[in-house]
Amino acid sequence: MSDDDTGWSDSPLPVGLLFSQTGITAAAERTQLFATRLAISEINAAGGIGGREIVAVGQDCQANPKTFRQEATRLLDEAGVKILFGCYMSSTRKAVLPVVESRNALLAYPTFYEGFEYSPNCIYTGATPNQNTQPLVRHILEHYGSRMLLVGSNYIFPYESNRIFSDLVTESRGKILDEIYVPLDPKPEDFERTIRQIRRFSPDVIFSNVVGSGTAMLYEAYRQAGFDPARMPIASLTTSEAEVAEMSAAAAEGHFTAAPYFATLDTEPNRRFLAAYRAMFGADIPITAAAEAAYFQVHLVAAAIDQARSLVPAAVVEALGRVQFEAPQGRVAVDPTNNHTFLWPRVARVDAQKRFEIVWDPHRRMKPDPYFVSSALDDWSLVPQPAKID
Ligand code: ACM
């Protein structure tokens, strides 16, 4: 093996996977890990990247920022890795990025997040707030009303997501009635205050940024309190197929999530993706938007490395500007002006079978706006730009 300055050689290509198989967000991160492995196996079956077999390495990151940072350090310093795929919670991405930047490596991050970040050593393939929060706010303002109660897990993503949500709501003369944070690893009783405040204020909508295993506790507590989702739904960015799988159908039904992908999407690329994922990991494993991003980002990065014949982040990112992929959600591409991704916004409501029924789908690919330059809801008509990069 003789890597030159580009990091290119003929030997197998190790890539690092940073996902949790234990800890509070393991259910969602496991879907990302599986989808990453599926993409790697597809690429290897087709001959690898420029003839090089991809070899995935990486251990359980335990939903803990410190473990993520240690594992990233080990992979980059000891395992010969230059490309990393992974991270779910923003706290884990923030822990990993300084390590990635100091080694001039590349992290491909497949999770929706709060935006307001850019690194030349990172590409972001999950939704930015203009691609999920803005459509969600519009939907609930139109259908339910403008009096909102916010609940989230106690870390950076919910704080920032709530800030953006609150700006959008108050710009529309709506009202934030309360903003409650529960511990990251909550017990059912940690949601008692939330239920009391919902009863006290009777909001139009509850906006939840609760992540991971606490999500089912919130939805079950809401159901046990006897609230009616038809009148006062929970709207969320964090409640995906993985969290819904951990709650009863009665607790899940009638609530909303905004994301670029739902497993119920009726597209040919999605049918192929579902069949391959289920054949590899079993029919009962949930599939999420975060998994779909984890899947397509491996294909995008592999195609870019193939073009660049280099593992140097600047060269890979430059080549990403020339690459597109027919993802299960629609055709995706990284926006070379900000390293985030053109995605297809959607809003869905959970039905009685715990399936996400898509209730809003403009069938348009939206430019990522990570700094939320077009933040006003009134600017909506200007925001979903048909991609010019076809
Ligand atoms: C998240 O923390 N970006 C879900």
Side-chain angles (χ1 to χ4, degrees):
M1 164 162 161
S2 65
D3 284 3
D4 57 18
D5 288 345
T6 62
W8 196 254
S9 75
D10 293 332
S11 52
L13 177 60
V15 299
L17 308 195
L18 296 173
F19 295 110
S20 307
Q21 294 170 59
T22 56
I24 52 160
T25 49
E29 294 194 51
R30 223 177 285 123
T31 72
Q32 294 182 299
L33 173 66
F34 290 162
T36 304
R37 288 198 175 280
L38 171 61
I40 290 172
S41 78
E42 288 176 351
I43 293 161
N44 283 340
I49 304 179
R52 295 179 70 176
E53 183 196 3
I54 307 174
V55 180
V57 286
Q59 292 167 6
D60 177 11
C61 292
Q62 302 170 342
N64 180 330
K66 202 167 144 204
T67 314
F68 269 88
R69 187 196 290 255
Q70 284 166 349
E71 183 59 359
T73 306
R74 185 186 74 80
L75 290 169
L76 296 176
D77 291 354
E78 294 165 29
V81 162
K82 297 201 164 57
I83 310 281
L84 294 164
F85 296 103
C87 296
Y88 180 83
M89 281 189 282
S90 290
S91 49
T92 65
R93 185 193 69 259
K94 296 266 188 208
V96 162
L97 261 186
V99 178
V100 174
E101 288 176 343
S102 64
R103 274 73 170 175
N104 197 24
L106 182 71
L107 170 69
Y109 175 58
T111 310
F112 56 92
Y113 88 111
E114 63 279 3
F116 295 90
E117 187 180 287
Y118 167 80
S119 166
N121 296 83
C122 188
I123 62 153
Y124 304 78
T125 58
T128 52
N130 74 301
Q131 293 167 322
N132 60 5
T133 316
Q134 198 159 343
L136 186 65
V137 170
R138 280 182 64 87
H139 187 81
I140 59 183
L141 285 176
E142 271 172 34
H143 294 277
Y144 293 93
S146 59
R147 299 172 62 257
M148 315 291 185
L149 187 140
L150 280 43
V151 56
S153 301
N154 194 7
Y155 78 104
I156 180 170
F157 169 74
Y159 308 153
E160 288 298 299
S161 179
N162 282 340
R163 178 181 65 75
I164 292 161
F165 180 92
S166 300
D167 282 353
L168 290 170
V169 168
T170 50
E171 270 169 22
S172 301
R173 299 206 169 78
K175 199 161 177 195
I176 305 301
L177 302 165
D178 201 357
E179 181 172 341
I180 301 165
Y181 290 96
V182 294
L184 251 184
D185 193 0
K187 298 178 201 48
E189 50 270 32
D190 289 316
F191 291 95
E192 284 168 7
R193 174 156 171 255
T194 307
I195 298 300
R196 270 201 311 277
Q197 293 298 78
I198 294 173
R199 198 165 272 129
R200 175 173 164 212
F201 288 113
S202 192
D204 295 323
V205 177
I206 294 119
F207 179 53
S208 169
N209 276 310
V210 174
V211 293
S213 47
T215 309
M217 294 176 202
L218 169 66
Y219 284 60
E220 295 291 355
Y222 172 103
R223 185 186 69 81
Q224 278 159 23
F227 300 137
D228 179 9
R231 199 196 62 68
M232 181 182 64
I234 302 174
S236 177
L237 309 172
T238 48
T239 305
S240 74
E241 290 84 345
E243 289 76 23
V244 164
E246 295 181 332
M247 59 182 86
S248 65
E253 185 182 1
H255 298 298
F256 290 88
T257 298
Y261 171 86
F262 294 97
T264 44
L265 259 181
D266 191 17
T267 66
E268 187 46 40
N270 189 39
R271 278 190 284 278
R272 281 200 304 272
F273 174 58
L274 294 177
Y277 186 97
R278 286 173 179 152
M280 205 159 165
F281 304 109
D284 297 333
I285 307 285
I287 306 179
T288 63
E292 191 250 4
Y295 171 76
F296 77 65
Q297 71 169 14
V298 177
H299 279 285
L300 282 175
V301 169
I305 293 174
D306 198 11
Q307 285 208 9
R309 290 295 152 113
S310 170
L311 301 176
V312 174
V316 177
V317 169
E318 199 266 328
L320 273 168
R322 300 189 296 275
V323 164
Q324 307 218 24
F325 182 72
E326 286 305 332
Q329 68 173 274
R331 184 180 293 191
V332 294
V334 172
D335 183 344
T337 65
N338 58 35
N339 285 9
H340 292 66
T341 307
F342 285 84
L343 299 172
W344 301 73
R346 294 175 171 109
V347 177
R349 176 184 167 279
V350 185
D351 71 12
Q353 282 74 47
K354 300 208 278 184
R355 289 161 48 90
F356 281 93
E357 178 200 357
I358 296 171
V359 294
W360 182 83
D361 186 347
H363 300 286
R364 296 177 81 171
R365 192 162 77 162
M366 253 175 112
K367 182 176 164 60
D369 183 13
Y371 285 90
F372 223 46
V373 178
S374 310
S375 66
L377 277 178
D378 290 348
D379 292 344
W380 171 251
S381 59
L382 301 177
V383 176
Q385 299 167 22
K388 291 201 192 72
I389 51 178
D390 280 329

